[in-house]
Amino acid sequence: MSDYVHLNLFTMNAVEHVSPGSWRHPGDRSAEYTDREYWTEVARTAERGGFDAVFFADVRGVYDVYGDDRETAVERAVQTPANDPTYLVPAMAEVTDELGFAVTRSTTYQHPYELARQFSTLDHLTDGRVAFNVVTSYLESAAINLGLDERMDKQTRYDRADEFLDVCYALWEDSWDEDAVVRDADRGVYTEPDGVHRIDHEGEFFDVPGPHGCEPSPQRTPVVFQAGSSERGREFAARNAEAVFCSQPTEEGVREYVEDLRERAADYGRDPDRLAFFPGIVPVVGETTAAAEAKYERLRNGVDVEATLALLSGFLDMDLSELDPDQKIDHIETDAIQGTMNAFTQSDPDREWTVREVAEFSGLGTTSPVVVGDPTEVADELQRWVAEVGVDGFNVKEVVRTGSLDDFVELVTPELRERGLLPPHDADTLRGTLFGDGPRLPETHPARR
Ligand SMILES: Cc1cc2nc3c(=O)[nH]c(=O)nc-3n(C[C@H](O)[C@H](O)[C@H](O)COP(=O)(O)O)c2cc1C
């Protein structure tokens, strides 16, 4: 894409996201996640800090794989309780001008006609600053609460997701002509009926005649984010995603993923350079290296290892309470999140991980690298990844809220700005900010073909 370092704040409308135990740090504000004022402050800080977007992860279901019980997850706030992120967006958009909002929604438990309407509405209300992070959901407990007897297998989830997006693309891109809305009061014609078309979708999972119920929004299709890591997930991402986020602890793991997905995107007739990559990263910054290292030690000591095991058990669909802590993790193809499995079994071919090591490492931001240093050292590392690993920026993972974000904005942002590494944020839409071009999907994307 460019030499800019694009930044997304990776967060969740919940007490805990990916750093179990962090809510107990002195001064941590995670419990304020239910307050609108908390989120409007986060939005203002992220915009001031040069972030492109706030990225909201989201989950359905409760983490009950560990010990075959939900007790640890509920007791330790493992992504429970968690509120719906969608409703935060208008409030956060109201207090910002350019900040984008990536919202995670599941294609497994929603209907595309309904979701297309939700995102059109958000895109209107944010003047084109919204992205859709497409997930297929991994917790069995979600499936059972949403009317199924068991979780759909991954192949079916992704098949459904492909068709789901095709329905959405048709509603967003093809249903309303650009000049359909005329608002001609003299003739009494708000919309020219000939400019609004059915989509007549008939498929394996959905029959949707259309037309779309919303007039075109600035971006029409929201920016499409995805994070598939399995073979099927990578195909899905290569076909659909404009931006991909991943979480691998090593440069090699991220590089392999980036190169593989760019090749696959080219096979779909897409421009491989128009796929943006955002690995997760956990910055721990201090005014000096020693201060940063001391902070890192404090954060490490605050990790809730058991809660981390409960979180990972859900990610892997593997009950880690049943394994000996010194047992090595063997590679499997999981029906839950393959990326988490690959992080431990493939991202460094020379390393084997035991259950204990996995739990200790993952307590700060799960499987992403932790970058500890003074502002120059952290900026050097971010710049180096963009130059050498071929990524476009980062999903910045918080540990202490809002301390981690505040530290970053106070210390790292000025350094990145000084080096001219932050994008200018002068585009009209999130897509323009990320790719430096117009508000619409490129012609090579399947939604436009
Ligand atoms: C870094 C990362 C973050 C993810 N965040 C979410 C999330 O917030 N909600 C969700 O339901 N799935 C999330 N997932 C799951 C994926 O989107 C995907 O559905 C899952 O990994 C299964 O596909 P895969 O095995 O092809 O990766 C995440 C995956 C990764 C690697």
Side-chain angles (χ1 to χ4, degrees):
M1 250 171 32
S2 68
D3 295 333
Y4 290 128
V5 175
H6 291 267
L7 300 170
N8 305 304
L9 175 69
F10 195 47
T11 190
M12 191 166 174
N13 190 4
V15 182
E16 282 283 352
H17 180 202
V18 283
S19 295
S22 54
W23 64 275
R24 299 166 69 200
H25 284 285
D28 182 273
R29 297 174 55 194
S30 297
E32 292 176 42
Y33 79 98
T34 50
D35 299 347
R36 194 175 61 251
E37 293 75 16
Y38 170 83
W39 291 107
T40 50
E41 187 185 319
V42 166
R44 285 196 182 97
T45 309
E47 182 159 86
R48 186 160 44 84
F51 283 70
D52 290 0
V54 174
F55 188 113
F56 284 107
D58 192 30
V59 77
R60 295 293 185 86
V62 68
Y63 286 78
D64 57 5
V65 178
Y66 184 71
D68 199 19
D69 193 296
R70 63 183 157 77
E71 191 178 326
T72 306
V74 172
E75 182 178 271
R76 317 281 176 111
V78 178
Q79 299 192 352
T80 304
N83 283 347
D84 189 323
T86 320
Y87 304 103
L88 300 175
V89 173
M92 295 169 81
E94 181 66 22
V95 299
T96 50
D97 296 319
E98 290 118 19
L99 189 69
F101 305 94
V103 181
T104 297
R105 307 299 297 183
S106 174
T107 53
T108 302
Y109 304 117
Q110 273 198 278
H111 193 283
Y113 185 74
E114 193 65 8
L115 179 133
R117 183 165 184 255
Q118 289 164 348
F119 273 93
S120 291
T121 307
L122 284 179
D123 205 47
H124 278 298
L125 289 177
T126 60
D127 299 318
R129 291 190 270 151
V130 77
F132 170 21
N133 176 38
V134 186
V135 299
T136 59
S137 300
Y138 47 88
L139 293 176
E140 178 107 319
S141 60
I144 291 165
N145 276 299
L146 288 155
L148 304 180
D149 293 334
E150 58 179 10
R151 183 179 52 200
M152 279 178 216
D153 64 76
K154 189 176 287 183
Q155 175 74 32
T156 310
R157 297 205 306 268
Y158 273 123
D159 289 350
R160 181 185 155 104
D162 262 324
E163 192 184 322
F164 189 112
L165 285 190
D166 285 343
V167 174
C168 290
Y169 293 153
L171 292 169
W172 286 324
E173 296 291 330
D174 304 332
S175 191
W176 286 61
D177 291 347
E178 210 55 50
D179 53 5
V181 177
V182 291
R183 300 186 190 100
D184 186 338
D186 291 341
R187 284 195 299 133
V189 177
Y190 196 88
T191 305
E192 296 286 1
D194 290 349
V196 178
H197 313 285
R198 291 163 62 102
I199 63 164
D200 288 324
H201 177 91
E202 287 179 21
E204 186 185 346
F205 299 94
F206 310 105
D207 291 334
V208 182
H212 191 25
C214 306
E215 64 180 279
S217 64
Q219 299 183 116
R220 284 186 176 243
T221 298
V223 177
V224 181
F225 271 74
Q226 224 277 321
S229 302
S230 61
E231 182 59 30
R232 182 65 182 88
R234 287 178 187 221
E235 285 298 306
F236 179 83
R239 176 178 184 262
N240 296 295
E242 300 180 84
V244 183
F245 64 113
C246 58
S247 184
Q248 294 291 319
T250 67
E251 282 172 45
E252 295 70 31
V254 175
R255 195 179 284 116
E256 182 276 327
Y257 185 72
V258 170
E259 287 171 2
D260 180 60
L261 248 65
R262 287 202 202 281
E263 267 176 40
R264 289 177 195 245
D267 291 343
Y268 281 99
R270 301 182 57 199
D271 174 2
D273 291 330
R274 211 179 169 291
L275 219 61
F277 287 87
F278 301 107
I281 205 147
V282 188
V284 179
V285 58
E287 285 185 11
T288 61
T289 311
E293 282 168 357
K295 192 178 288 181
Y296 176 62
E297 274 317 302
R298 278 200 304 278
L299 296 180
R300 282 226 61 80
N301 290 334
V303 167
D304 183 334
V305 174
E306 199 174 354
T308 306
L309 288 168
L311 180 67
L312 290 175
S313 295
F315 282 2
L316 297 169
D317 196 27
M318 181 189 274
D319 182 359
L320 296 173
S321 76
E322 285 185 347
L323 305 185
D324 185 308
D326 294 313
Q327 186 173 332
K328 133 177 179 307
I329 303 268
D330 287 321
H331 184 81
I332 57 159
E333 296 296 314
T334 169
D335 227 20
I337 305 184
Q338 194 61 42
T340 307
M341 174 55 70
N342 295 353
F344 302 121
T345 56
Q346 293 187 338
S347 83
D348 179 352
D350 299 327
R351 173 151 190 201
E352 291 188 340
W353 292 77
T354 64
V355 174
R356 190 193 308 278
E357 288 166 342
V358 158
E360 284 171 0
F361 177 81
S362 303
L364 298 181
T366 60
T367 51
S368 297
V370 182
V371 179
V372 184
D374 67 18
T376 313
E377 290 165 327
V378 173
D380 283 349
E381 192 61 359
L382 300 188
Q383 188 171 8
R384 192 180 67 73
W385 272 65
V386 170
E388 294 178 13
V389 187
V391 301
D392 304 279
F394 301 91
N395 268 0
V396 175
K397 295 183 172 179
E398 311 158 286
V399 181
V400 177
R401 289 156 75 176
T402 54
S404 299
L405 174 64
D406 296 337
D407 284 351
F408 192 94
V409 170
E410 196 184 314
L411 297 170
V412 185
T413 295
E415 186 67 32
L416 295 173
R417 218 164 245 151
E418 174 88 21
R419 300 181 192 190
L421 289 175
L422 292 178
H425 295 124
D426 54 4
D428 289 338
T429 60
L430 177 59
R431 186 169 279 116
T433 300
L434 291 174
F435 300 101
D437 50 23
R440 301 282 308 279
L441 274 167
E443 301 282 346
T444 52
H445 191 281
R448 299 290 301 276
R449 276 188 267 141

